[in-house]
Structures are given as structure tokens and as C-alpha cells.
Amino acid sequence: MPCYLCGARQSDPVRGAAPFKRGVRRDRQVLICPNCQIAHDWKADLDRCGRCRSTFLLCRLGEIECYSCGEVRPQNFRPPVPDTPGLDPALTNEVEQALSRVLSGLSGPDASRAHR
Ligand SMILES: [Zn+2]
Ligand SMILES: [Zn+2]
């Protein structure tokens, strides 16, 4: 995962140095590179624990956990739903057309002929 501010990727041969900081922003896990930690008030942008105001949060599947006090809250972030305008109406139309075909077939020419 790259730095969320500048997109720099963590080069990880130097194990243990861990120059990137982790955080949660808008309920999403983010990383902040060392440059941006200096250039930017990065903690101001991060989500904070509702109990202890710590930015040291862990984003898990559907949950945000605070490292400092252990508070767990549900993750509010939902991935944006792809915009598919007209999908449902089109489907409904198709169903309606199929239905009307079936219905017109049932009470179709045969039915009207029987009446005459
Ligand atoms: Zn950066
Ligand atoms: Zn906390």
C-alpha cells in the first residue's frame, strides 16, 4: 500500500525501521511516508479513537480498533457502488415484456376467436 498523500511506496529491505506510519482515515487504512510525516500535519487528517483520541488505529474487516485503549467500533466506510444507471429498469422492462408476451399468448387470437 502506497503513501496516501504522495503515493510513494514503502521500500522494505530495511526491516525494523518501519518509516511509514499507519493510520485510519475516513475509516480506511492508510500509510504515511516519512517525507509526508515531516511535510504535513498528517495526524490532523486521520480518524481518531472516540474514547482516547488516539490516531493509532487498526482497520480490520468491518471494524476499526484502537491500539491504545482497545476500543472497537464498526467501520462506516462502504466501497462506492458502481454506477449502473438503467440496469434495474431494463431488467424490469424485460420481465414485463416477457410477461405480456405470455399473457397475450394466453388470451390471444385463440381466445378472441372462441368468442366469435
Ligand atoms: Zn508521502
Ligand atoms: Zn482509544
Side-chain angles (χ1 to χ4, degrees):
M1 190 159 57
C3 168
Y4 88 93
L5 286 165
C6 70
R9 290 195 172 268
Q10 194 161 14
S11 52
D12 80 343
V14 194
R15 276 281 173 198
F20 276 54
K21 297 280 189 190
R22 286 164 155 270
V24 174
R25 184 170 180 266
R26 292 176 187 168
D27 283 7
R28 302 177 72 172
Q29 184 82 60
V30 294
L31 287 178
I32 304 96
C33 75
N35 289 338
C36 292
Q37 288 166 36
I38 296 165
H40 195 86
D41 186 11
W42 58 280
K43 278 191 174 178
D45 280 346
L46 296 182
D47 288 0
R48 286 174 184 274
C49 170
R51 192 194 284 176
C52 70
R53 310 305 294 160
S54 169
T55 56
F56 198 21
L57 304 177
L58 170 68
C59 181
R60 294 197 303 226
L61 196 65
E63 286 179 343
I64 311 288
E65 183 179 348
C66 175
Y67 276 112
S68 300
C69 72
E71 170 100 333
V72 177
R73 66 172 173 85
Q75 185 184 26
N76 292 318
F77 170 74
R78 293 284 176 276
V81 179
D83 201 17
T84 50
L87 179 66
D88 284 347
L91 268 175
T92 311
N93 268 342
E94 236 168 71
V95 171
E96 269 173 13
Q97 279 168 19
L99 258 178
S100 68
R101 269 200 299 274
V102 170
L103 288 175
S104 67
L106 283 177
S107 59
D110 288 339
S112 52
R113 227 179 282 143
H115 276 289
R116 277 175 200 161

